[in-house]
Amino acid sequence: MPGEGEGSKTYKYIVVLLGIASVLMAAATVYVMGVVSLNYGAGLAIVGLANNGGLVNSTAANIPLISSEIGALHSAMDEIYVLALISFAMLGVSFVLYTGRAARHAAFTRRYTLLHTVLTLIYAGLLYLVLSSISISYTSLYFLSLFAAIAVAIAIDAYLEVSIHINYGTGRVRNRGTLRIEPDAPYSNLLNLRDTVFSKLQGEVRIVDKHFNSGALSNLYRLLETNMRGIKRLEVLASGEMLDAKFSDNYTDFKNELNAAGIELNFMLMSSGNATEQHERFIFDDSRAYKIPPLNIINRKSEHIVPLSISEARRRFNALSKDATKYENYVVKQARGPAP
């Protein structure tokens, strides 16, 4: 995955390990189900033969004990069916956690992590009840692997729960410091945006905003003008559908001023398909990322400027830029007109 951070990779590997542990528990459920079914069937056969007088006295003497075990085996089979449902649910939850790893601190991830934790504890408790009611050797490599899988799953669930609560708490503190845009104070909004967000951007700055136009150019320059020395490269992904008649001239002036300040500008247009699907606007540098309103009305739209995962912002930008066209090439293509 392009631009995937170390935290995201660690989470991915941990969730994969959780999935493997869930697979082992599901396989163990099927195995125990087979063992119990065989013992149950054998017990019924022995009791049936005894009732028909087909057993020797030494075996017939054990019939009361065998009969009592049949009842326990029948209860164990019912419990194993529940175990099977739980183990397959754990597999499904592991898959959801893996596919949703990009948003690992989102609310739905917290819910699914808690669900897997509860299912794992129920599975361990119910498995203990089943195994304690039947005669089976627990020292085989198969069962040792099962117990290890349960321990690993519980440990991972505990780690994820703690990690999520820590990040959630940090996120709540961060969210208290987010910036709200008030539509009736456009001038103050620009000043606050510049001082709290755009003045902190450093190095390579990237923006995704399909509503980019001349108004966005003007606002962006006003937001960055006090921080020109901290930025080395500016990349913008926009949509050709929003460009106005004066954009070309404004873009040339904007680019020349950035070049004079030592900032390289790379302005690109998303493919039509990507532009249609991309609804969020965001900006990020090497260490921070923010969701933002459209830059052409960034100081007038009632909205919050909120932090965003830097790895997710980088991943999305890289994916969109693969099919993008440099603005200069777009201008040349438009001047040539449609192909005959």
Side-chain angles (χ1 to χ4, degrees), residues 57-136:
N57 292 336
S58 60
T59 304
N62 293 322
I63 295 303
L65 177 62
I66 296 174
S67 298
S68 64
E69 288 185 351
I70 289 176
L73 287 170
H74 188 273
S75 299
M77 289 179 64
D78 292 336
E79 293 165 352
I80 290 173
Y81 292 139
V82 178
L83 272 178
L85 293 176
I86 294 174
S87 62
F88 291 126
M90 291 163 61
L91 272 175
V93 173
S94 300
F95 179 76
V96 171
L97 289 173
Y98 179 81
T99 56
R101 62 191 182 278
R104 61 188 182 279
H105 300 317
F108 90 93
T109 305
R110 296 196 296 272
R111 290 194 294 269
Y112 277 100
T113 301
L114 179 60
L115 176 59
H116 196 282
T117 303
V118 173
L119 290 175
T120 302
L121 294 176
I122 294 175
Y123 180 94
L126 192 56
L127 181 67
Y128 172 79
L129 292 177
V130 170
L131 295 181
S132 62
S133 64
I134 61 177
S135 299
I136 191 170

Coordinates of all heavy atoms in Angstrom, one line a residue, residues 57-136:
N57 N -20.8 -59.8 30.3 CA -21.1 -59.3 31.6 C -20.2 -58.1 32.0 O -20.7 -57.2 32.6 CB -21.1 -60.4 32.7 CG -22.2 -61.4 32.4 OD1 -23.2 -61.1 31.8 ND2 -22.0 -62.6 32.9
S58 N -18.9 -58.2 31.7 CA -18.0 -57.2 32.1 C -18.3 -55.8 31.5 O -18.2 -54.8 32.1 CB -16.5 -57.5 31.8 OG -16.4 -57.8 30.4
T59 N -18.7 -55.9 30.2 CA -19.1 -54.7 29.5 C -20.5 -54.2 30.0 O -20.7 -53.0 30.2 CB -19.1 -54.9 28.0 OG1 -17.9 -55.4 27.6 CG2 -19.5 -53.6 27.2
A60 N -21.4 -55.1 30.2 CA -22.8 -54.7 30.6 C -22.7 -54.1 32.0 O -23.6 -53.2 32.3 CB -23.6 -56.0 30.7
A61 N -21.7 -54.4 32.8 CA -21.7 -53.8 34.1 C -21.4 -52.3 34.0 O -21.7 -51.5 35.0 CB -20.6 -54.5 34.9
N62 N -20.8 -51.9 32.9 CA -20.5 -50.5 32.8 C -21.6 -49.7 32.1 O -21.4 -48.5 31.8 CB -19.2 -50.3 32.0 CG -18.0 -50.8 32.7 OD1 -17.9 -50.7 33.9 ND2 -17.1 -51.5 32.0
I63 N -22.7 -50.3 31.8 CA -23.8 -49.6 31.0 C -24.3 -48.4 31.8 O -24.6 -47.4 31.1 CB -24.9 -50.6 30.8 CG1 -24.4 -51.7 29.8 CG2 -26.1 -49.9 30.1 CD1 -23.9 -51.2 28.5
P64 N -24.6 -48.4 33.1 CA -25.0 -47.2 33.8 C -24.1 -46.0 33.6 O -24.5 -44.9 33.3 CB -25.1 -47.6 35.2 CG -25.3 -49.1 35.2 CD -24.5 -49.6 34.0
L65 N -22.8 -46.3 33.6 CA -21.8 -45.2 33.4 C -21.9 -44.7 32.0 O -21.8 -43.5 31.8 CB -20.4 -45.7 33.8 CG -19.2 -44.7 33.5 CD1 -19.4 -43.5 34.4 CD2 -17.9 -45.4 33.8
I66 N -21.9 -45.6 31.0 CA -22.0 -45.2 29.6 C -23.2 -44.5 29.4 O -23.2 -43.5 28.6 CB -21.9 -46.5 28.7 CG1 -20.5 -47.2 28.9 CG2 -22.1 -46.1 27.3 CD1 -20.4 -48.5 28.2
S67 N -24.4 -44.9 30.0 CA -25.6 -44.2 29.7 C -25.6 -42.8 30.3 O -26.1 -41.8 29.6 CB -26.8 -45.0 30.4 OG -26.9 -46.3 29.9
S68 N -24.9 -42.6 31.4 CA -24.8 -41.2 32.0 C -23.9 -40.3 31.1 O -24.2 -39.1 30.9 CB -24.3 -41.3 33.4 OG -22.9 -41.8 33.4
E69 N -22.9 -40.9 30.5 CA -22.0 -40.2 29.6 C -22.7 -39.8 28.3 O -22.4 -38.7 27.7 CB -20.7 -41.0 29.3 CG -19.8 -41.1 30.5 CD -18.5 -41.8 30.1 OE1 -18.4 -42.3 29.0 OE2 -17.6 -41.8 30.9
I70 N -23.7 -40.6 27.8 CA -24.4 -40.3 26.6 C -25.2 -39.0 26.8 O -25.2 -38.1 25.9 CB -25.4 -41.4 26.3 CG1 -24.6 -42.6 25.8 CG2 -26.4 -41.0 25.2 CD1 -25.4 -43.8 25.5
G71 N -25.8 -38.8 28.0 CA -26.5 -37.5 28.2 C -25.5 -36.3 28.2 O -25.9 -35.3 27.7
A72 N -24.3 -36.5 28.8 CA -23.4 -35.4 28.8 C -22.9 -35.1 27.4 O -22.7 -34.0 27.0 CB -22.2 -35.8 29.7
L73 N -22.7 -36.2 26.6 CA -22.2 -36.0 25.2 C -23.3 -35.3 24.4 O -22.9 -34.4 23.5 CB -21.9 -37.4 24.6 CG -20.6 -38.0 25.1 CD1 -20.5 -39.5 24.6 CD2 -19.4 -37.2 24.6
H74 N -24.5 -35.6 24.6 CA -25.6 -34.9 23.9 C -25.6 -33.4 24.2 O -25.8 -32.6 23.3 CB -27.0 -35.6 24.3 CG -28.1 -35.0 23.4 ND1 -28.8 -33.9 23.7 CD2 -28.6 -35.5 22.2 CE1 -29.7 -33.7 22.8 NE2 -29.6 -34.6 21.9
S75 N -25.4 -33.1 25.5 CA -25.4 -31.7 25.9 C -24.1 -31.0 25.2 O -24.2 -29.8 24.8 CB -25.3 -31.5 27.4 OG -26.5 -32.1 28.0
A76 N -23.0 -31.7 25.2 CA -21.8 -31.2 24.6 C -22.0 -30.9 23.2 O -21.5 -29.9 22.6 CB -20.6 -32.2 24.9
M77 N -22.7 -31.8 22.5 CA -23.0 -31.5 21.0 C -23.7 -30.2 20.8 O -23.4 -29.5 19.9 CB -23.7 -32.7 20.4 CG -22.8 -34.0 20.3 SD -23.8 -35.4 19.6 CE -24.1 -34.8 18.0
D78 N -24.7 -30.0 21.6 CA -25.5 -28.7 21.5 C -24.6 -27.5 21.7 O -24.7 -26.5 21.0 CB -26.6 -28.7 22.5 CG -27.7 -29.8 22.2 OD1 -27.8 -30.2 21.0 OD2 -28.4 -30.2 23.1
E79 N -23.7 -27.7 22.7 CA -22.8 -26.6 23.0 C -21.8 -26.3 21.9 O -21.4 -25.2 21.6 CB -22.1 -26.8 24.3 CG -23.0 -26.8 25.5 CD -22.4 -27.4 26.8 OE1 -21.2 -28.0 26.6 OE2 -23.0 -27.3 27.9
I80 N -21.4 -27.5 21.2 CA -20.4 -27.3 20.1 C -21.0 -26.6 18.9 O -20.3 -25.9 18.2 CB -19.9 -28.7 19.7 CG1 -19.0 -29.3 20.9 CG2 -19.1 -28.7 18.4 CD1 -18.6 -30.7 20.7
Y81 N -22.3 -26.8 18.7 CA -23.0 -26.1 17.6 C -22.9 -24.6 17.9 O -22.7 -23.8 16.9 CB -24.4 -26.6 17.5 CG -24.6 -28.0 17.0 CD1 -25.5 -28.8 17.5 CD2 -23.8 -28.5 16.0 CE1 -25.7 -30.1 17.1 CE2 -23.9 -29.8 15.5 CZ -24.8 -30.6 16.1 OH -25.0 -31.9 15.7
V82 N -23.1 -24.2 19.1 CA -23.0 -22.8 19.5 C -21.5 -22.3 19.3 O -21.3 -21.2 18.8 CB -23.4 -22.5 20.9 CG1 -23.2 -21.1 21.3 CG2 -24.9 -22.9 21.1
L83 N -20.6 -23.2 19.7 CA -19.2 -22.9 19.5 C -18.8 -22.6 18.0 O -18.1 -21.7 17.7 CB -18.3 -24.0 20.0 CG -17.9 -24.0 21.5 CD1 -17.0 -25.2 21.8 CD2 -17.1 -22.7 21.8
A84 N -19.4 -23.5 17.1 CA -19.2 -23.3 15.7 C -19.7 -21.9 15.2 O -19.0 -21.3 14.5 CB -19.9 -24.4 14.9
L85 N -20.9 -21.5 15.6 CA -21.4 -20.2 15.2 C -20.5 -19.1 15.7 O -20.2 -18.2 15.0 CB -22.8 -20.1 15.8 CG -23.9 -21.0 15.2 CD1 -25.2 -20.8 15.9 CD2 -24.1 -20.7 13.7
I86 N -20.0 -19.2 17.0 CA -19.2 -18.2 17.5 C -17.8 -18.1 16.8 O -17.3 -17.0 16.5 CB -18.9 -18.5 19.0 CG1 -20.2 -18.3 19.8 CG2 -17.8 -17.5 19.6 CD1 -20.1 -18.7 21.3
S87 N -17.2 -19.3 16.5 CA -15.9 -19.3 15.8 C -16.0 -18.7 14.4 O -15.1 -17.9 14.0 CB -15.4 -20.7 15.7 OG -16.2 -21.6 15.0
F88 N -17.1 -19.0 13.7 CA -17.3 -18.4 12.3 C -17.6 -16.9 12.4 O -17.2 -16.1 11.5 CB -18.3 -19.2 11.6 CG -17.9 -20.6 11.2 CD1 -18.7 -21.6 11.5 CD2 -16.7 -20.8 10.5 CE1 -18.4 -22.9 11.2 CE2 -16.3 -22.1 10.2 CZ -17.2 -23.2 10.5
A89 N -18.3 -16.5 13.5 CA -18.5 -15.1 13.7 C -17.2 -14.4 13.9 O -16.9 -13.3 13.5 CB -19.5 -14.8 14.8
M90 N -16.3 -15.0 14.7 CA -15.0 -14.4 15.0 C -14.2 -14.3 13.7 O -13.5 -13.3 13.5 CB -14.2 -15.3 16.0 CG -14.8 -15.3 17.4 SD -14.2 -16.7 18.4 CE -12.5 -16.4 18.4
L91 N -14.3 -15.2 12.8 CA -13.6 -15.1 11.5 C -14.1 -13.9 10.7 O -13.3 -13.2 10.1 CB -13.8 -16.4 10.7 CG -12.8 -17.6 10.9 CD1 -13.3 -18.8 10.1 CD2 -11.4 -17.1 10.4
G92 N -15.4 -13.8 10.7 CA -16.0 -12.7 10.0 C -15.6 -11.3 10.6 O -15.3 -10.4 9.8
V93 N -15.5 -11.2 11.9 CA -15.1 -10.0 12.5 C -13.6 -9.7 12.2 O -13.3 -8.5 11.9 CB -15.3 -10.1 14.1 CG1 -14.7 -8.8 14.7 CG2 -16.8 -10.2 14.4
S94 N -12.8 -10.7 12.2 CA -11.4 -10.5 11.9 C -11.2 -10.0 10.4 O -10.4 -9.1 10.2 CB -10.6 -11.9 12.0 OG -10.7 -12.3 13.3
F95 N -12.1 -10.5 9.5 CA -12.0 -10.1 8.1 C -12.4 -8.6 8.0 O -11.8 -7.8 7.3 CB -13.0 -10.9 7.3 CG -13.0 -10.5 5.8 CD1 -12.0 -10.8 5.0 CD2 -14.1 -9.8 5.3 CE1 -12.0 -10.4 3.6 CE2 -14.1 -9.4 4.0 CZ -13.1 -9.7 3.2
V96 N -13.5 -8.2 8.8 CA -13.9 -6.8 8.8 C -12.8 -5.9 9.3 O -12.5 -4.8 8.8 CB -15.2 -6.6 9.6 CG1 -15.6 -5.2 9.8 CG2 -16.4 -7.4 8.9
L97 N -12.2 -6.3 10.4 CA -11.1 -5.5 11.0 C -9.9 -5.4 10.0 O -9.3 -4.3 9.9 CB -10.6 -6.2 12.3 CG -11.5 -6.1 13.5 CD1 -11.0 -6.9 14.6 CD2 -11.7 -4.7 13.9
Y98 N -9.7 -6.4 9.2 CA -8.5 -6.3 8.3 C -8.9 -5.4 7.1 O -8.1 -4.6 6.7 CB -8.2 -7.7 7.7 CG -7.1 -7.7 6.7 CD1 -5.8 -7.7 7.1 CD2 -7.4 -7.8 5.3 CE1 -4.7 -7.6 6.2 CE2 -6.4 -7.7 4.4 CZ -5.0 -7.7 4.8 OH -4.0 -7.6 3.9
T99 N -10.1 -5.6 6.5 CA -10.5 -4.7 5.4 C -10.7 -3.3 5.8 O -10.5 -2.4 5.0 CB -11.8 -5.3 4.7 OG1 -12.8 -5.3 5.7 CG2 -11.6 -6.6 4.2
G100 N -11.0 -3.0 7.1 CA -11.2 -1.7 7.5 C -10.0 -1.1 8.3 O -10.1 -0.1 9.0
R101 N -8.8 -1.7 8.0 CA -7.6 -1.3 8.8 C -7.2 0.2 8.5 O -6.5 0.8 9.4 CB -6.4 -2.2 8.5 CG -6.0 -2.2 7.0 CD -5.0 -3.3 6.8 NE -4.5 -3.3 5.4 CZ -5.2 -3.8 4.4 NH1 -6.4 -4.3 4.5 NH2 -4.6 -3.8 3.1
A102 N -7.6 0.7 7.3 CA -7.2 2.1 7.1 C -7.9 3.1 8.0 O -7.4 4.2 8.3 CB -7.6 2.5 5.6
A103 N -9.0 2.7 8.6 CA -9.8 3.6 9.5 C -9.8 2.9 10.9 O -10.8 2.8 11.5 CB -11.2 3.8 9.0
R104 N -8.6 2.4 11.3 CA -8.5 1.6 12.5 C -8.9 2.3 13.8 O -9.1 1.7 14.8 CB -7.1 1.0 12.6 CG -6.0 2.0 12.8 CD -4.6 1.3 12.7 NE -3.5 2.3 12.9 CZ -3.0 3.0 11.9 NH1 -3.6 3.0 10.7 NH2 -2.0 3.8 12.2
H105 N -9.0 3.7 13.8 CA -9.4 4.4 15.0 C -10.8 4.9 14.9 O -11.2 5.7 15.7 CB -8.4 5.6 15.2 CG -7.0 5.2 15.4 ND1 -6.6 4.1 16.2 CD2 -5.9 5.7 14.9 CE1 -5.3 4.0 16.1 NE2 -4.8 4.9 15.3
A106 N -11.5 4.5 13.8 CA -12.9 4.9 13.7 C -13.8 4.2 14.6 O -13.5 3.2 15.2 CB -13.4 4.6 12.2
A107 N -15.1 4.7 14.8 CA -16.0 4.1 15.7 C -16.4 2.7 15.4 O -16.5 1.9 16.3 CB -17.3 5.0 15.8
F108 N -16.5 2.4 14.1 CA -16.9 1.0 13.8 C -15.8 0.0 14.2 O -16.1 -1.1 14.5 CB -17.3 0.9 12.3 CG -16.1 0.5 11.4 CD1 -15.9 -0.8 11.1 CD2 -15.3 1.5 10.9 CE1 -14.8 -1.1 10.2 CE2 -14.3 1.2 10.1 CZ -14.0 -0.1 9.7
T109 N -14.6 0.4 14.1 CA -13.5 -0.5 14.4 C -13.5 -0.8 15.9 O -13.3 -1.9 16.3 CB -12.1 0.2 14.1 OG1 -12.1 0.5 12.7 CG2 -11.0 -0.8 14.3
R110 N -13.8 0.2 16.7 CA -13.9 0.0 18.2 C -15.0 -1.0 18.5 O -14.8 -1.9 19.3 CB -14.2 1.3 18.9 CG -13.0 2.3 18.8 CD -13.1 3.4 19.8 NE -14.3 4.2 19.6 CZ -14.4 5.3 18.8 NH1 -13.3 5.7 18.2 NH2 -15.5 6.0 18.7
R111 N -16.1 -0.9 17.8 CA -17.2 -1.8 18.0 C -16.9 -3.3 17.6 O -17.2 -4.2 18.4 CB -18.5 -1.4 17.2 CG -19.1 -0.1 17.7 CD -20.5 0.1 17.2 NE -20.4 0.3 15.7 CZ -20.4 1.5 15.2 NH1 -20.3 2.6 15.9 NH2 -20.3 1.6 13.9
Y112 N -16.2 -3.4 16.5 CA -15.9 -4.8 16.0 C -14.7 -5.4 16.9 O -14.7 -6.6 17.1 CB -15.4 -4.8 14.6 CG -16.6 -4.8 13.6 CD1 -17.1 -3.7 13.0 CD2 -17.3 -6.0 13.4 CE1 -18.2 -3.7 12.2 CE2 -18.4 -6.1 12.5 CZ -18.9 -4.9 11.9 OH -19.9 -5.0 11.1
T113 N -13.8 -4.6 17.4 CA -12.8 -5.1 18.3 C -13.4 -5.6 19.6 O -13.0 -6.6 20.1 CB -11.7 -4.0 18.6 OG1 -11.2 -3.5 17.3 CG2 -10.6 -4.5 19.5
L114 N -14.3 -4.8 20.1 CA -15.0 -5.2 21.3 C -15.8 -6.5 21.1 O -15.8 -7.4 22.0 CB -15.9 -4.1 21.8 CG -16.7 -4.4 23.1 CD1 -15.8 -4.7 24.3 CD2 -17.6 -3.2 23.4
L115 N -16.5 -6.6 19.9 CA -17.2 -7.8 19.6 C -16.3 -9.0 19.6 O -16.7 -10.1 20.1 CB -17.9 -7.6 18.3 CG -18.7 -8.8 17.7 CD1 -19.8 -9.2 18.7 CD2 -19.3 -8.5 16.4
H116 N -15.2 -8.9 18.9 CA -14.3 -10.0 18.9 C -13.8 -10.4 20.3 O -13.6 -11.6 20.6 CB -13.1 -9.7 18.0 CG -12.3 -10.9 17.5 ND1 -11.4 -11.6 18.3 CD2 -12.3 -11.6 16.3 CE1 -10.9 -12.6 17.7 NE2 -11.4 -12.7 16.5
T117 N -13.5 -9.4 21.1 CA -13.1 -9.7 22.5 C -14.1 -10.5 23.2 O -13.8 -11.5 23.9 CB -12.8 -8.4 23.2 OG1 -11.8 -7.6 22.5 CG2 -12.3 -8.7 24.6
V118 N -15.4 -10.1 23.1 CA -16.5 -10.8 23.8 C -16.6 -12.2 23.3 O -16.8 -13.2 24.0 CB -17.8 -10.0 23.7 CG1 -19.0 -10.8 24.2 CG2 -17.7 -8.6 24.4
L119 N -16.6 -12.3 21.9 CA -16.8 -13.7 21.3 C -15.6 -14.6 21.7 O -15.9 -15.8 22.0 CB -16.8 -13.5 19.8 CG -18.0 -12.9 19.2 CD1 -17.9 -12.7 17.7 CD2 -19.3 -13.7 19.5
T120 N -14.4 -14.1 21.8 CA -13.3 -14.9 22.2 C -13.4 -15.4 23.7 O -13.2 -16.6 23.9 CB -12.0 -14.1 22.1 OG1 -11.8 -13.7 20.8 CG2 -10.8 -15.0 22.5
L121 N -13.9 -14.6 24.6 CA -14.0 -15.0 26.0 C -15.2 -16.0 26.1 O -15.0 -16.9 26.9 CB -14.3 -13.7 26.8 CG -13.1 -12.7 26.9 CD1 -13.6 -11.5 27.7 CD2 -11.9 -13.4 27.6
I122 N -16.3 -15.8 25.3 CA -17.4 -16.7 25.4 C -16.9 -18.1 24.8 O -17.2 -19.1 25.4 CB -18.6 -16.2 24.6 CG1 -19.2 -14.9 25.3 CG2 -19.6 -17.3 24.5 CD1 -20.3 -14.3 24.5
Y123 N -16.1 -18.0 23.7 CA -15.6 -19.3 23.1 C -14.8 -20.0 24.1 O -14.9 -21.2 24.3 CB -14.8 -18.9 21.9 CG -14.3 -20.1 21.2 CD1 -14.9 -20.7 20.1 CD2 -13.0 -20.6 21.5 CE1 -14.4 -21.8 19.5 CE2 -12.5 -21.7 20.9 CZ -13.2 -22.3 19.9 OH -12.7 -23.4 19.2
A124 N -13.8 -19.3 24.8 CA -12.9 -20.0 25.7 C -13.7 -20.6 26.9 O -13.4 -21.8 27.3 CB -11.9 -19.0 26.2
G125 N -14.7 -19.9 27.4 CA -15.5 -20.4 28.5 C -16.3 -21.6 28.1 O -16.4 -22.6 28.8
L126 N -17.0 -21.5 27.0 CA -17.8 -22.6 26.5 C -17.0 -23.8 26.1 O -17.4 -25.0 26.4 CB -18.7 -22.1 25.3 CG -19.8 -23.0 24.9 CD1 -20.8 -23.3 26.0 CD2 -20.6 -22.4 23.7
L127 N -15.8 -23.6 25.5 CA -14.9 -24.8 25.2 C -14.5 -25.5 26.4 O -14.4 -26.7 26.5 CB -13.7 -24.3 24.4 CG -12.8 -25.3 23.9 CD1 -13.4 -26.2 22.9 CD2 -11.5 -24.7 23.4
Y128 N -14.2 -24.7 27.5 CA -13.8 -25.4 28.8 C -15.0 -26.3 29.3 O -14.7 -27.4 29.7 CB -13.5 -24.3 29.8 CG -13.3 -24.9 31.2 CD1 -12.1 -25.5 31.5 CD2 -14.3 -24.8 32.1 CE1 -11.9 -26.0 32.8 CE2 -14.1 -25.3 33.4 CZ -12.9 -25.9 33.7 OH -12.7 -26.4 35.0
L129 N -16.2 -25.8 29.2 CA -17.3 -26.6 29.6 C -17.5 -27.9 28.8 O -17.7 -29.0 29.3 CB -18.6 -25.8 29.6 CG -18.7 -24.6 30.5 CD1 -20.0 -23.9 30.3 CD2 -18.7 -25.1 32.0
V130 N -17.3 -27.8 27.5 CA -17.4 -28.9 26.6 C -16.3 -30.0 26.9 O -16.6 -31.2 27.1 CB -17.3 -28.5 25.1 CG1 -17.2 -29.7 24.2 CG2 -18.5 -27.7 24.8
L131 N -15.1 -29.5 27.0 CA -13.9 -30.4 27.2 C -14.0 -31.1 28.6 O -13.5 -32.2 28.7 CB -12.6 -29.7 27.0 CG -12.4 -29.2 25.6 CD1 -11.0 -28.5 25.5 CD2 -12.5 -30.3 24.5
S132 N -14.5 -30.4 29.6 CA -14.6 -30.9 30.9 C -15.6 -32.0 31.0 O -15.7 -32.8 32.0 CB -14.8 -29.8 31.9 OG -16.1 -29.2 31.7
S133 N -16.5 -32.1 30.0 CA -17.6 -33.1 30.1 C -17.4 -34.3 29.3 O -18.2 -35.2 29.3 CB -18.9 -32.4 29.7 OG -18.9 -32.0 28.3
I134 N -16.3 -34.4 28.6 CA -16.0 -35.6 27.8 C -14.6 -36.1 28.1 O -13.8 -35.3 28.6 CB -16.1 -35.2 26.3 CG1 -15.1 -34.2 25.9 CG2 -17.5 -34.8 25.9 CD1 -15.1 -33.8 24.4
S135 N -14.4 -37.3 27.8 CA -13.1 -38.0 28.0 C -12.2 -37.8 26.8 O -12.5 -38.4 25.7 CB -13.2 -39.5 28.3 OG -14.0 -39.6 29.5
I136 N -11.2 -36.9 26.8 CA -10.3 -36.7 25.7 C -9.0 -36.2 26.2 O -8.9 -35.6 27.3 CB -11.0 -35.6 24.8 CG1 -10.2 -35.5 23.4 CG2 -11.0 -34.3 25.4 CD1 -11.0 -34.7 22.4

